[in-house]
Amino acid sequence: MALLELASSLLLAPFSVLIVVILLASFGKSFGIRRLYVRMLIRLFEYGRANIESAIRKDSVDRGNEIEHEIGEQEEKTIKLNLNSKDKILPKTNGLVNKSGQNGHISNGTSVITKESLILVPDKAIQTTTVTTTTTTSINHKEQSQVISENNNEEIKDDKPRDFKLDDCFEYIKSGMEAIIEDEVTSRFEAEELKNWNLLTRTNRGYEFISWKLTVIWFIGFLIRYLFLLPLRIVICFIGVLWLTICTAVVGWTLPEGDLKRQIVSITLIHCSEFLSNAISSVVNYHNPENRPVNGICVANHTSPIDALMLMCDNCYSLIGQRHGGFLGILQRALARASPHIWFERNEAKDRSAVAARLREHVSDPKNPPILIFPEGTCINNTSVMQFKKGSFEVGGVIYPVAIKYDARFGDAFWNSSRYSMMQYLYMMMTSWAIVCDVWYLPPMYCEEGESAIDFANRVKRTIAKQGGLVDLMWDGQLKRMKAKKEWKELQQEKFAERLKGD
């Protein structure tokens, strides 16, 4: 009996919270507890940052004192040796001091590579999209790239043949070394680096043991996330998926087609999405609701499978994508019962004409909800926007751009599918503090007269990148799984040969 009373007392609080969450989600209401929780976490992170900086400063001072003490001892030994040998006393300097130039404090900072130019980029004649923006992220880099390009053009226009010089290949060697150390493509397929520690061991550098205060805070946070939040979120996720399956089955099989069914489906999907979002403690800020999509095609940058969940908490969408099995397959089948979605098999994905035909058929009916498309075709780590596939921009009609930006301090929403399975990813989401993101609805865009689908896609991509504070890159996101095209390498070889010929 004592054990039962103890167990009931321990489970009473989580069970009560679960009941409250279910009731609030059922009516689409909230007490604002999650937003208060996020504000509290921000203060906690700032406190941790201040403690880490203080500990690092103290450690650097202690090391500096040790170095000064060692230098002093070396100087005393040198003076004694010089006195014994009756030589001239050397000035109080030391090779260590002269090298550091900081009066005994050694500078252990690392140099930062500044990329002046990036030579090996897709060319307009080779790449699948027209390059309308530069790959560098600063104005200085752009100007330097233009200067280098002009110089190259002048060399090409020069009719006088010249001999090969050793420095002709220096730019290529420099670009190759920069790419080996840090390139701007593969770094987009890894988790975003945080400026401050968020009290998670998966993102730290051993900070949990830098001081006893941080150790206590980290341990309490560990207990809260794994013993309270994780079980609660698992139960909410299970109930949410079950509730979504029941609701979509009832609505899809009992109601006749018509305006009433579409309205009920929209309300049901938004309600179920809000319920499921509680499983990851999501806090979403929606901006410019007057631009919310009503029909046509909605395109957004892609970071995670939960992108669609974040958007469907505020609006009803149809989805398009490859048919999956497992957990994603359960959700796909549940959604397909109630609303028109486009799921295709792997062999159909290669048939672009068949997919485009189904997409045009959906968009041609103004009563269908807007269809949500992620033109990048793969998940990027929420620091940049990569090449948009032109397929969704060839259909015609209105395009509603949407920018999504996650706050990685509370939890990294990026899914590295080549490293983690779906279940591992869900586990990481549910053991994070929360998922916080901003969603911007941008004004609808249309293809201009004489504008190709590729140019239109690039224009939409630039708009999304600018609003979300993301880096606009021309590279194809499929480089995550494949090597650079052979044509790109051959093109650079041809350009280098032309420079040597002087043609």
Side-chain angles (χ1 to χ4, degrees):
M1 291 299 295
L3 291 175
L4 289 176
E5 290 178 0
L6 178 61
S8 61
S9 61
L10 292 176
L11 296 175
L12 179 61
F15 185 76
S16 303
V17 172
L18 177 63
I19 296 299
V20 172
V21 168
I22 293 174
L23 291 176
L24 291 176
S26 300
F27 295 99
K29 302 297 181 180
S30 174
F31 289 145
I33 297 176
R34 278 181 290 178
R35 295 185 182 275
L36 179 63
Y37 166 67
V38 167
R39 288 196 294 269
M40 182 189 68
L41 285 175
I42 292 176
R43 294 181 181 179
L44 191 62
F45 295 158
E46 288 297 321
Y47 176 79
R49 179 188 60 81
N51 271 267
I52 291 172
E53 292 178 353
S54 175
I56 291 175
R57 283 196 300 268
K58 182 179 178 181
D59 184 62
S60 62
V61 170
D62 293 341
R63 290 182 179 180
N65 293 334
E66 291 178 0
I67 293 172
E68 289 179 351
H69 180 69
E70 292 176 359
I71 292 173
E73 291 181 350
Q74 292 177 3
E75 289 176 348
E76 290 179 1
K77 292 179 180 179
T78 303
I79 292 172
K80 290 179 180 179
L81 289 173
N82 291 333
L83 288 174
N84 294 334
S85 61
K86 296 183 180 180
D87 290 334
K88 186 178 179 180
I89 299 176
L90 295 175
K92 294 186 179 181
T93 58
N94 185 279
L96 186 62
V97 179
N98 293 334
K99 289 180 180 179
S100 66
Q102 296 181 359
N103 297 327
H105 293 277
I106 298 176
S107 176
N108 57 356
T110 57
S111 59
V112 179
I113 291 179
T114 302
K115 297 184 180 181
E116 296 182 355
S117 64
L118 184 61
I119 298 175
L120 300 176
V121 297
D123 188 77
K124 291 183 180 180
I126 298 298
Q127 66 174 8
T128 56
T129 61
T130 303
V131 178
T132 57
T133 60
T134 59
T135 58
T136 53
T137 59
S138 65
I139 297 176
N140 291 334
H141 290 183
K142 292 180 182 178
E143 294 176 352
Q144 292 167 354
S145 298
Q146 291 174 359
V147 171
I148 292 171
S149 178
E150 292 174 1
N151 294 337
N152 293 342
N153 292 335
E154 290 177 1
E155 292 181 5
I156 292 173
K157 292 178 181 178
D158 189 5
D159 295 332
K160 297 180 180 180
R162 62 182 181 82
D163 296 331
F164 170 77
K165 296 181 180 180
L166 183 61
D167 60 357
D168 288 333
C169 60
F170 282 179
E171 291 181 4
Y172 291 87
I173 294 174
K174 179 176 178 292
S175 297
M177 293 175 66
E178 291 172 350
I180 291 172
I181 296 172
E182 181 184 7
D183 69 275
E184 62 179 4
V185 179
T186 56
S187 60
R188 311 299 175 179
F189 307 136
E190 298 293 337
E192 179 182 358
E193 294 185 4
L194 300 179
K195 295 181 179 180
N196 300 324
W197 184 40
N198 60 355
L199 302 177
L200 298 178
T201 52
R202 70 189 71 147
T203 58
N204 76 336
R205 299 176 183 176
Y207 288 147
E208 70 268 25
F209 302 120
I210 202 169
S211 71
W212 69 269
K213 294 180 181 178
L214 283 183
T215 302
V216 172
I217 294 174
W218 167 78
F219 184 71
I220 294 174
F222 176 86
L223 295 179
I224 292 174
R225 288 185 294 110
Y226 283 89
L227 299 184
F228 178 73
L229 291 179
L230 178 60
L232 183 64
R233 289 169 175 173
I234 291 175
V235 174
I236 293 175
C237 181
F238 176 78
I239 296 176
V241 173
L242 183 63
W243 183 240
L244 173 66
T245 305
I246 294 173
C247 290
T248 52
V250 171
V251 174
W253 291 337
T254 59
L255 295 179
E257 295 295 332
D259 294 337
L260 177 61
K261 180 178 180 179
R262 279 188 286 271
Q263 292 178 2
I264 294 178
V265 166
S266 177
I267 295 172
T268 301
L269 291 181
I270 293 175
H271 157 70
C272 292
S273 299
E274 289 177 344
F275 190 99
L276 278 172
S277 68
N278 291 317
I280 52 176
S281 301
S282 67
V283 177
V284 190
N285 302 308
Y286 298 98
H287 307 274
N288 309 323
E290 65 275 8
N291 298 324
R292 187 183 292 114
V294 292
N295 52 31
I297 298 176
C298 174
V299 297
N301 57 301
H302 196 25
T303 303
S304 161
I306 65 173
D307 292 341
L309 179 64
M310 299 296 100
L311 293 177
M312 292 186 71
C313 289
D314 189 58
N315 194 19
C316 180
Y317 296 91
S318 292
L319 304 178
I320 180 172
Q322 182 179 312
R323 198 181 299 275
H324 290 275
F327 181 75
L328 284 180
I330 295 174
L331 297 179
Q332 286 181 335
R333 290 189 292 272
L335 292 172
R337 294 189 188 99
S339 56
H341 300 274
I342 302 177
W343 309 124
F344 48 81
E345 301 294 342
R346 184 180 295 271
N347 55 355
E348 293 179 331
K350 298 179 181 179
D351 189 356
R352 296 179 56 188
S353 59
V355 176
R358 296 178 64 180
L359 187 58
R360 288 193 185 94
E361 181 182 357
H362 179 94
V363 175
S364 61
D365 188 352
K367 294 183 179 180
N368 285 334
I371 188 162
L372 179 60
I373 299 177
F374 301 105
E376 289 169 297
T378 189
C379 295
I380 312 299
N381 70 352
N382 208 223
T383 60
S384 61
V385 182
M386 303 190 79
Q387 183 187 101
F388 276 12
K389 303 296 186 296
K390 65 178 182 178
S392 55
F393 300 90
E394 293 176 328
V395 176
V398 61
I399 297 290
Y400 290 91
V402 174
I404 306 174
K405 179 64 177 177
Y406 291 91
D407 193 334
R409 291 177 298 176
F410 305 96
D412 187 13
F414 168 62
W415 181 32
N416 189 348
S417 56
S418 60
R419 185 175 180 181
Y420 301 109
S421 66
M422 174 54 67
M423 297 309 296
Q424 288 175 316
Y425 173 74
L426 289 176
Y427 168 77
M428 293 175 63
M429 291 296 96
M430 292 184 180
T431 54
S432 297
W433 292 110
I435 298 299
V436 180
C437 74
D438 288 273
V439 174
W440 289 273
Y441 296 118
L442 303 176
M445 301 178 68
Y446 298 85
C447 186
E448 297 176 352
E449 185 176 356
E451 186 178 34
S452 66
I454 296 175
D455 293 333
F456 186 28
N458 284 329
R459 182 160 61 90
V460 173
K461 179 166 68 78
R462 286 198 306 272
T463 303
I464 292 175
K466 181 179 179 181
Q467 179 62 71
L470 306 169
V471 181
D472 184 9
L473 297 178
M474 67 178 70
W475 296 97
D476 188 355
Q478 295 302 322
L479 287 171
K480 178 194 294 187
R481 301 178 180 86
M482 66 180 186
K483 296 181 179 180
K485 294 182 179 179
K486 183 180 179 182
E487 292 86 348
W488 295 352
K489 301 177 184 178
E490 293 176 348
L491 179 64
Q492 300 304 325
Q493 293 170 356
E494 292 175 2
K495 287 185 176 181
F496 184 60
E498 291 175 357
R499 291 180 59 185
L500 295 180
K501 292 178 182 178
D503 297 335

